[in-house]
Amino acid sequence: MLKPGRNSPCPCGSGRKFKHCCLDKGFTFVAEDEETYTMQMPMTQGMREITDRSAEEFRQHFERDPGPGVPIFLGKYLYSERDLERETVAAMKTAGIDPAIIYAYKKTGYIQSESHLDSYTGAAIAEWDEAIEEFDAHGGEPDEGPEARLFDTTLASLVDEFESLIFALGLANDNYFNAMQVASSASKQESSLTVPQYQALCASRVHRTLRTIRVLEEKHLSEDMLKLARSIYESYLHMVVIQRVPSAVETLVDAVIGLRKGTHQYKKTKDGGDDKRFINELASGRMIPSQISTFKMAEASPYPEDIPFFDFFYSTTSQLIHPSVFSLDAYVSSRGLDPVKPHMHEEAIVFTACAAAMVVDWIPLMDGCPGQVASDCRTVVKRIRTKLLCLLELLEVWTKRIGAHKSELGIIRARCLRLAEG
Ligand SMILES: [Zn+2]
């Protein structure tokens, strides 16, 4: 077994001679060829227990022993490295660990303690010490200016607003929607839904979706958050179109209920099949379009900014919702296809807050909205508007972290400026 020479440079890469660096550590270097060495460490009792437990878990799932080439730690299919880091950092913060240590852990990926120094290479110890010094000197990443820190704190406080949005919707539900007796109207076969009743139903959907998003956010399941943010946005479009385009009630409510009740039927083609583009109101023979395109819905908005917002947000999220070659980037990392790869977290928070604020902002515009409900909705929306605008000002951070373009941020910003205006 070939070992590094005492006076040769240490294979750990510290730049020091082997005899002054890793010669007397709790691990050895074994040469693969003249240039490359691998580190070998005796397996401790603790490590043995962990591998035994993982092998047992493997057997429970597959009813066989893990063979060669099979990862024994199946957790890597559940969590990304970033997920594990985040959980560790959270646990360290709860335990009151020195922020310098937390910083060094995030920077190096390991937690060094004085008592275990002989299991770390000279290079690893130097890297750790450097991180601690960096924290003492700058309080964090030296290249990250105050803008990046403002970005992080604002983003975190935007997440707290998800709860405010839910509560605003909850108060609207108790003090406004349920006074309209949506439930009893919908269950009575003969009656249909009024415009505000249909809007209340949309708002209820958003309320439920936001509850799910809160759970996803905790685990940074960001791409699926974004998919749900799009569903919130679609509820917004429905709330807009049904209020602004009188015939929308026929398509979205009357025809849908009519198909079930038998007062309406799909238009018939020459050979007796269904032409699903139109619905026939049997009593009058009138043809009602069976769908309103989402673009038409966006066009119905009183805010011209809703059109560019639609174009940008709808196409971006389409790539996530439907199988698309454009989503490839999101799924590829250095190890190939990588479903646990962290992806679009900042975007998911911003779009959720933005779309949900658009919904809550619309409630005061609904027919008969009580003053207190309107005022509570606006209070929450105003606060979110301020935070969104603050975030969207930080162009440099967006570009550096996400590669976002100024024009894209401008589109979202323009729509956010309309919030709390009504
Ligand atoms: Zn070394």
Side-chain angles (χ1 to χ4, degrees):
M1 214 160 44
L2 196 60
K3 286 190 174 169
R6 290 175 54 84
N7 286 310
S8 54
C10 186
C12 79
S14 67
R16 286 186 293 164
K17 285 181 179 175
F18 182 51
K19 65 179 178 189
H20 294 310
C21 192
C22 296
L23 176 64
D24 290 320
K25 297 274 180 156
F27 54 85
T28 48
F29 281 109
V30 180
E32 283 183 22
D33 53 54
E34 274 180 31
E35 307 249 299
T36 10
Y37 289 87
T38 39
M39 247 174 96
Q40 281 188 351
M41 208 179 268
M43 210 185 236
T44 63
Q45 181 62 24
M47 284 154 82
R48 169 72 63 200
E49 280 167 18
I50 292 171
T51 25
D52 285 352
R53 225 177 302 138
S54 301
E56 182 48 39
E57 195 196 345
F58 188 97
R59 276 189 287 271
Q60 279 174 13
H61 289 288
F62 298 107
E63 301 171 29
R64 69 176 176 91
D65 287 329
V70 169
I72 205 174
F73 298 108
L74 296 170
K76 73 170 195 166
Y77 299 125
L78 288 173
Y79 310 105
S80 71
E81 277 166 25
R82 282 254 293 278
D83 293 333
L84 297 175
E85 180 196 292
R86 208 176 46 252
E87 304 257 311
T88 310
V89 167
M92 288 166 94
K93 280 185 180 161
T94 313
I97 304 278
D98 178 1
I101 306 262
I102 297 180
Y103 176 74
Y105 162 67
K106 278 161 82 174
K107 186 110 195 187
T108 62
Y110 42 81
I111 303 169
Q112 239 175 57
S113 72
E114 295 290 329
S115 57
H116 289 93
L117 283 185
D118 74 331
S119 40
Y120 292 95
T121 65
I125 292 169
E127 189 188 26
W128 176 268
D129 292 345
E130 206 175 285
I132 298 281
E133 278 164 30
E134 208 168 78
F135 187 86
D136 290 343
H138 307 276
E141 194 69 53
D143 321 337
E144 284 207 329
E147 285 215 328
R149 262 162 248 168
L150 176 63
F151 185 97
D152 289 333
T153 49
T154 312
L155 197 71
S157 79
L158 204 51
V159 171
D160 297 336
E161 297 291 351
F162 293 173
E163 213 171 75
S164 304
L165 285 161
I166 292 171
F167 296 155
L169 288 162
L171 289 180
N173 194 53
D174 282 350
N175 301 317
Y176 174 27
F177 303 159
N178 278 335
M180 297 189 287
Q181 297 182 310
V182 182
S184 59
S185 299
S187 57
K188 267 185 233 147
Q189 282 266 309
E190 67 274 17
S191 59
S192 171
L193 289 186
T194 64
V195 168
Q197 282 175 335
Y198 184 77
Q199 290 172 318
L201 180 63
C202 292
S204 270
R205 281 173 54 92
V206 173
H207 184 152
R208 182 176 286 180
T209 303
L210 277 172
R211 291 173 67 227
T212 312
I213 286 184
R214 264 181 84 237
V215 177
L216 295 180
E217 199 285 326
E218 266 171 38
K219 301 284 174 199
H220 283 226
L221 298 168
S222 312
E223 191 182 306
D224 292 296
M225 265 174 83
L226 253 182
K227 292 174 188 165
L228 292 177
R230 161 147 150 165
S231 140
I232 290 177
Y233 176 65
E234 284 177 349
S235 292
Y236 165 75
L237 293 178
H238 277 242
M239 289 170 81
V240 168
V241 77
I242 203 153
Q243 182 151 330
R244 307 264 304 168
V245 179
S247 65
V249 184
E250 292 193 313
T251 298
L252 298 177
V253 181
D254 300 346
V256 178
I257 295 178
L259 279 178
R260 197 184 285 176
K261 283 202 303 192
T263 57
H264 292 61
Q265 242 177 28
Y266 282 115
K267 185 184 169 186
K268 291 290 168 207
T269 56
K270 273 180 204 150
D271 53 14
D274 287 341
D275 177 353
K276 293 209 166 170
R277 289 171 305 164
F278 295 96
I279 293 168
N280 185 358
E281 188 186 44
L282 297 173
S284 64
R286 244 163 22 86
M287 290 296 172
I288 302 164
S290 67
Q291 278 182 0
I292 307 172
S293 79
T294 39
F295 180 71
K296 278 244 162 64
M297 292 183 181
E299 263 187 335
S301 161
Y303 311 118
E305 294 79 8
D306 261 321
I307 303 280
F309 185 88
F310 172 87
D311 284 336
F312 172 60
F313 182 55
Y314 219 68
S315 63
T316 308
T317 47
S318 279
Q319 294 163 14
L320 302 174
I321 289 181
H322 313 296
S324 157
V325 286
F326 291 119
S327 64
L328 191 61
D329 271 357
Y331 284 87
V332 174
S333 72
S334 57
R335 43 178 162 160
L337 274 174
D338 185 0
V340 301
K341 175 182 173 178
H343 179 55
M344 298 188 98
H345 192 63
E346 292 83 355
E347 291 95 319
I349 293 171
V350 165
F351 279 124
T352 299
C354 186
M358 282 154 76
V359 168
V360 172
D361 199 28
W362 194 265
I363 293 174
L365 304 179
M366 287 166 56
D367 282 347
C369 179
Q372 189 63 60
V373 170
S375 148
D376 289 339
C377 286
R378 289 214 178 94
T379 301
V380 172
V381 172
K382 259 186 207 151
R383 215 167 45 227
I384 292 176
R385 178 188 194 267
T386 309
K387 291 178 184 180
L388 281 168
L389 290 176
C390 163
L391 272 176
L392 293 164
E393 286 295 326
L394 302 169
L395 176 65
E396 219 173 289
V397 185
W398 282 102
T399 319
K400 216 160 145 190
R401 289 201 192 165
I402 298 146
H405 296 293
K406 194 179 175 180
S407 58
E408 297 165 344
L409 296 180
I411 291 168
I412 312 164
R413 195 175 174 278
R415 182 57 186 87
C416 289
L417 279 168
R418 290 289 194 177
L419 288 171
E421 216 185 39

